[in-house]
Amino acid sequence: MAMSAPFVNAPLRRLPNGPPPFRPVLVAVDLCKGCGLCIDVCSPGALALDTRQVNAMGHHTVRLEIPDACTSCAKCARMCPDAALTIFARPREA
């Protein structure tokens, strides 16, 4: 049986308001247990505990509070015992 990847033949659509804002840190909320180690090691203070929501395990998760303060140094990702953070480098200016 032949299988194809989803959206292979779907036309590309442009976003109406341009690209979304750059977010250098992606938090896997299903893995985060809110231990705060990443917050402690973040010298610019870009991360904070999100007390407004809990994940499926019942933990408050970390969120990127100040995206512009993040330097993409990845100290938070290296400190995270659950590998819940993915860091992206900022796009280079043209």
Side-chain angles (χ1 to χ4, degrees):
M1 173 165 66
M3 300 183 81
S4 63
F7 309 114
V8 169
N9 296 322
L12 295 176
R13 290 181 289 158
R14 299 232 182 251
L15 296 173
N17 298 330
F22 177 71
R23 309 249 335 148
V25 179
L26 177 66
V27 179
V29 294
D30 56 330
L31 297 176
C32 181
K33 63 183 176 203
C35 66
L37 293 174
C38 58
I39 297 170
D40 294 339
V41 77
C42 181
S43 52
L47 300 173
L49 199 60
D50 190 354
T51 57
R52 296 173 293 169
Q53 69 175 14
V54 295
N55 62 11
M57 296 184 294
H59 300 294
H60 290 288
T61 59
V62 170
R63 67 182 158 97
L64 183 61
E65 179 77 20
I66 310 169
D68 292 334
C70 179
T71 62
S72 297
C73 68
K75 288 180 186 175
C76 56
R78 290 192 302 263
M79 183 58 73
C80 181
D82 299 307
L85 301 170
T86 303
I87 310 302
F88 299 100
R90 292 192 176 278
R92 293 185 180 178
E93 298 296 325

